[in-house]
Amino acid sequence: MRHPQLTVFFLITLFFSRPVNVSSDSLPLSTQSRWVVSSSGDRIKLRCVNWSGHLHGMVVEGIHKQPVKDIAARVASLGFNCVRLTWATYMFTRGHHTNLTVAQSLERWNLTDAKAGVYKHNPHVLGLNLLEAQKAVIDELAAHDVMVVLDNHVSLPKWCCADKDGNGFFGDKYFNPHEWLKGLATVARLYKGNPGVIAMSMRNELRGPRQNRRGWYKYIKKGAEIIHRTNPDVLVIVSGLSYDTSLRFLKQKPLKLNIGKKLVYEGHWYPFVDPTEKWLYQPNEFCGNATRLFIDKIGFLQIQFPFFLSEFGMNMKDVEEKQDRYMSCLLAHVAEQDLEWALWSLQGSYILREGKVGMEESFGMLTANWDHVRSSEMQSRLQLIQQMNRDPKARHRSYNILFHPKTGQCAEVVEDGIYLRDCKSWAKWNHLKGGPISLMGGDRRCLAAVGEGLPAIVTSNCSSNWNMVSGSKLHIASRDEHGRYLCLDWDSSGASGSSRILTNKCLCLGSDLQDVPRCEDDPQRQWFKMIPSNHK
Ligand SMILES: *[C@@H]1O[C@H](CO)[C@@H](O)[C@H](O)[C@H]1NC(C)=O
Ligand SMILES: *[C@@H]1O[C@H](CO)[C@@H](O)[C@H](O)[C@H]1NC(C)=O
Ligand SMILES: *[C@@H]1O[C@H](CO)[C@@H](O)[C@H](O)[C@H]1NC(C)=O
Ligand SMILES: CC(=O)N[C@H]1CO[C@H](CO)[C@@H](O)[C@@H]1O
């Protein structure tokens, strides 16, 4: 706490902290239709962050910058209840890797500064072998109630992923399927009975010129079943082809596995889809298209199975407008569907990545020195998806939360005004397409547009009808008394932490509410989503 930045960090994180209540008596986890549930059948929502441990040194990143115990405490205080911890197959299948101590493993790459850093911050880890060190990290996370998904990320320990890096598909240069199966079985056995590890994902981002469906069905089945036979407690997470963006072929031919109620699917959704310029000039149509494409290729699995969006993220160091819009678009979907997820990533820097010592991770929640949060905006944007909005066991009536993904805030009503606030409390809305938006309970009161540039209000006059419009369906529009369309709008000039919701001319939309062909405005301020919830 010597550091002023650290103090700020702890204040912020305390402010945002929320309970993480997975105790070992709720284990093992299993699945029930599309939910992950505890041993007593209560939903457990996975809200994770990725933490890399698969690079050259085969130790988790950051261990040379901060004590593992502090990193684990931060993960928990940032509102994550789980870590997707990545590992490399060779660490478990090649004796000359397995037997290395952390010190030796870093020395192999001449990483003397990192070694000195580990000595300074985690002296007890330096002499452990790589397996013991991994277990120490998992134990520390467990001590902070943070669950671990062990993700097989590569075979040869290095940065992932490229088409021709030899780690992409079964049979590639470094990716011997038998060795991979052996690695999975070894890890499953090592963590059998360890309550810290709740799931294993089989392989990150299958890809490359050799990828094919036949190989996928064959090896995914073997991998899943070997994990389950060895360690029947863990969830088994199945990933797709083309960098984990496609499992469309399962619509024709479902995967048949003998693993009980343990199957979870995963997928990735990054802003890198082409042509990203469309986020700038056709943002509504592109958001609609991107969401539909994601659902069509992989997201559709959530209807039947728990779906883990195991990687998404954006550059938080130098925020690019297009990535910012991607994030709003994605958050609206993730919140609406209440998916399981893992943000890429925790690490603010790498010991060694792609030949560069100390390379910074601009997508990291933490800064390069691992000592404070890179972006409090991102922290705020995650707040609603860090909550469980749909609880299959709850008996409360469902309603909608009016969510604003650009700020991550939720609409709350104070007297007749509507404000964006942190999602600790919120107004509960009912809405039938094309009809009024009314408050649940009490005397009937409805959302109304008064005029352009004026605050939206709630009133007993329920004659305003509202529609979700534009290609993104993220604009919420109604007519004013002159019959002109107005959209809900965020008044960003308001005091921080509480700004009023106004109605304004709909951005990027013509008078017929169709998307204009090219839009120079940023529509994000007008992007809202009705999030179904039965949270009490
Ligand atoms: C690794 O260590 C184990 C146990 O100490 C030993 O049996 C094995 O031979 C060692 N492997 C190599 C390649 O050094
Ligand atoms: C480490 O340093 C030694 C001596 O300078 C050098 O011979 C070796 O190639 C280096 N190894 C790596 C992996 O950079
Ligand atoms: C959205 O998808 C439609 C149908 O595939 C296509 O015609 C249109 O150009 C796409 N729009 C954008 C902005 O990419
Ligand atoms: C932003 C980023 O670096 N994402 C990476 C996350 O990890 C996957 C797989 O290792 C990479 O393909 C992404 O580029």
Side-chain angles (χ1 to χ4, degrees), residues 242-272:
S242 306
Y243 295 85
D244 207 0
T245 62
S246 180
L247 282 168
R248 210 165 176 277
F249 50 89
L250 290 179
K251 291 179 185 175
Q252 274 79 51
K253 184 181 168 195
L255 179 64
K256 295 205 183 75
L257 294 179
N258 216 345
I259 63 168
K261 291 185 171 300
K262 296 292 178 181
L263 174 61
V264 173
Y265 283 101
E266 70 175 311
H268 296 174
W269 183 358
Y270 276 116
F272 323 124

Side-chain angles (χ1 to χ4, degrees), residues 482-498:
H482 311 292
R484 286 174 310 200
Y485 280 108
L486 293 175
C487 281
L488 293 184
D489 194 8
W490 163 53
D491 179 9
S492 53
S493 67
S496 80
S498 178

Side-chain angles (χ1 to χ4, degrees), residues 275 278 282-289 292:
K278 290 200 174 177
Q282 292 171 297
N284 283 308
E285 198 178 305
F286 203 52
C287 170
N289 280 10
R292 260 192 306 280

Side-chain angles (χ1 to χ4, degrees), residues 268-302:
H268 296 174
W269 183 358
Y270 276 116
F272 323 124
V273 266
D274 289 332
T276 51
E277 269 49 44
K278 290 200 174 177
W279 285 113
L280 295 182
Y281 304 118
Q282 292 171 297
N284 283 308
E285 198 178 305
F286 203 52
C287 170
N289 280 10
T291 309
R292 260 192 306 280
L293 200 65
F294 171 75
I295 295 171
D296 180 52
K297 288 175 72 180
I298 198 158
F300 68 93
L301 286 158
Q302 67 156 79

Side-chain angles (χ1 to χ4, degrees), residues 3 128 492 501 514:
H3 234 266
L128 301 180
S492 53
I501 296 180
Q514 296 303 306

Side-chain angles (χ1 to χ4, degrees), residues 342-523:
L343 179 76
W344 187 273
S345 63
L346 177 66
Q347 61 268 2
S349 60
Y350 298 88
I351 296 174
L352 173 64
R353 170 178 153 184
E354 297 172 287
K356 237 172 120 179
V357 174
M359 183 170 171
E360 185 164 2
E361 172 59 276
S362 60
F363 280 50
M365 274 307 276
L366 301 181
T367 50
N369 249 342
W370 294 65
D371 55 2
H372 64 281
V373 175
R374 195 183 280 288
S375 157
S376 53
E377 284 82 19
M378 180 57 89
Q379 219 183 327
S380 172
R381 281 171 110 174
L382 295 176
Q383 58 180 309
L384 185 63
I385 66 168
Q386 283 183 329
Q387 303 186 10
M388 179 155 60
N389 295 313
R390 283 199 242 171
D391 178 353
K393 260 192 170 177
R395 292 178 193 282
H396 311 286
R397 243 181 79 197
S398 33
Y399 58 86
N400 295 294
I401 298 170
L402 185 57
F403 174 56
H404 187 248
K406 165 69 186 165
T407 56
Q409 293 180 314
C410 295
E412 176 62 302
V413 169
V414 180
E415 295 172 3
D416 66 354
I418 303 151
Y419 299 83
L420 282 180
R421 293 270 171 91
D422 285 325
C423 302
K424 292 192 183 67
S425 70
W426 46 72
K428 301 176 176 180
W429 306 98
N430 289 317
H431 181 228
L432 284 180
K433 199 173 161 189
I437 294 180
S438 60
L439 283 173
M440 195 167 102
D443 298 333
R444 188 163 151 88
R445 290 200 297 161
C446 296
L447 181 66
V450 179
E452 187 174 335
L454 297 174
I457 57 166
V458 291
T459 154
S460 56
N461 175 350
C462 288
S463 60
S464 294
N465 293 322
W466 296 86
N467 274 301
M468 316 310 178
V469 299
S470 88
S472 66
K473 295 277 182 261
L474 294 175
H475 292 263
I476 302 188
S478 177
R479 290 177 197 266
D480 68 5
E481 58 200 21
H482 311 292
R484 286 174 310 200
Y485 280 108
L486 293 175
C487 281
L488 293 184
D489 194 8
W490 163 53
D491 179 9
S492 53
S493 67
S496 80
S498 178
S499 36
R500 200 133 187 194
I501 296 180
L502 315 175
T503 52
N504 257 319
K505 192 174 160 308
C506 301
L507 295 173
C508 303
L509 296 177
S511 54
D512 54 353
L513 293 183
Q514 296 303 306
D515 297 327
V516 297
R518 187 183 166 97
C519 176
E520 308 283 344
D521 294 315
D522 178 2

